[in-house]
Amino acid sequence: MIRHAMKSIPKHRLRGQNGFTLVDILVGLAMASVLLAAVISLFTSMGRSYTIQNVAADVQQVTRAGVELMIQEIRMAGFNPSGSTPAGIVDNFDSVNGFHQRHNGNITGTDAQNFAFTMDADMDGRIDHCVDDGPAECPAADDNIENELIAYRFNDGALEKYRSASAKWENLTEENVSDLNFTYYDANGAVTSAVADIRSVEISMTIQQPAGWGRIVSRTYTTRVRCRNIGL
């Protein structure tokens, strides 16, 4: 009876039940692979672009912050409201010029990558220059709480600031600075190298940082600041 039922099924219906051939499957897999590769490439490109943009924003922020810090203090160079003590741009903080002996040889003369100055920040009529662990004979009035000896330099790929209270240099930007340059101008706007003639300073700092995939992001910030307390 079963044999009779099978014979009664039309042959064309059996032939119509065929599935995918091997060629169909291979073509489908090939198309899927191409589509998957395109999607992966798109997401990789988006991730790379996102990373680069984040690094670029971070580099820009660090560069600007470093320069802005210098601007604020350079504007105060020579600040001396009482007029009773010399303050201004200097070549050193050595004891031969009346500063604490712990500062001897700690800074280089003002040049394209070194800049130093003093100011009477606490307006007590003196430039405080003692260090935190200085000798007992150091006058208590010169406690240097305000850090009135200021210096900046480019050293070993970093922007550094001199902390006179500790007589040490502090790294402000890790080691991502590729260039830092100071250009000095006199009262007439001409470039000068004479410390006594400096009235404004142009600061140019470049910071670089890896962004992955062999890419380097670089940003340069340049501005000029007037030493408004000098030459009054």
Side-chain angles (χ1 to χ4, degrees):
M1 185 175 178
I2 295 176
R3 187 178 302 170
H4 175 73
M6 290 293 293
K7 289 182 179 180
S8 66
I9 298 175
K11 292 183 178 180
H12 68 86
R13 291 181 61 186
L14 290 175
R15 288 196 297 267
Q17 301 303 312
N18 292 339
F20 293 108
T21 66
L22 179 59
V23 174
D24 293 333
I25 295 174
L26 292 176
V27 171
L29 288 175
M31 293 178 64
S33 298
V34 171
L35 180 61
L36 181 60
V39 171
I40 292 175
S41 177
L42 176 62
F43 276 100
T44 300
S45 178
M46 291 176 62
R48 183 179 303 174
S49 177
Y50 180 77
T51 300
I52 292 174
Q53 291 300 319
N54 276 353
V55 172
D58 182 60
V59 170
Q60 180 72 21
Q61 182 177 3
V62 172
T63 306
R64 188 178 185 89
V67 173
E68 289 295 333
L69 173 62
M70 289 187 281
I71 288 174
Q72 294 177 19
E73 294 192 321
I74 290 174
R75 282 176 177 161
M76 293 294 290
F79 180 67
N80 180 24
S82 69
S84 60
T85 186
I89 300 169
V90 298
D91 271 327
N92 64 69
F93 296 147
D94 293 355
S95 56
V96 67
N97 290 318
F99 298 116
H100 191 281
Q101 61 185 5
R102 283 280 301 280
H103 300 299
N104 286 352
N106 284 356
I107 68 167
T108 303
T110 291
D111 58 20
Q113 295 186 329
N114 297 269
F115 185 51
F117 53 92
T118 61
M119 59 182 172
D120 183 13
D122 58 5
M123 298 180 290
D124 64 353
R126 65 175 68 220
I127 302 300
D128 303 329
H129 56 87
C130 286
V131 295
D132 292 338
D133 57 351
E137 64 267 18
C138 193
D142 291 341
D143 55 16
N144 201 21
I145 294 176
E146 300 292 336
N147 279 305
E148 297 182 340
L149 280 63
I150 307 295
Y152 290 98
R153 72 178 182 182
F154 177 49
N155 182 53
D156 197 22
L159 168 64
E160 295 183 339
K161 178 181 177 180
Y162 187 70
R163 297 288 186 183
S164 53
S166 61
K168 295 180 180 179
W169 288 93
E170 176 185 12
N171 188 324
L172 299 181
T173 59
E174 298 181 352
E175 297 180 353
N176 296 319
V177 179
S178 61
D179 186 50
L180 173 64
N181 188 73
F182 297 109
T183 304
Y184 308 104
Y185 298 87
D186 62 19
N188 298 316
V191 175
T192 182
S193 59
V195 171
D197 295 336
I198 297 175
R199 295 296 179 271
S200 62
V201 184
E202 182 180 272
I203 309 167
S204 180
M205 185 167 71
T206 301
I207 289 184
Q208 294 183 337
Q209 187 170 323
W213 296 281
R215 296 288 298 274
I216 298 293
V217 172
S218 177
R219 291 292 183 272
T220 299
Y221 187 57
T222 302
T223 189
R224 187 184 297 191
V225 54
R226 184 171 67 89
C227 305
R228 56 191 181 190
N229 293 293
I230 296 178
L232 300 178

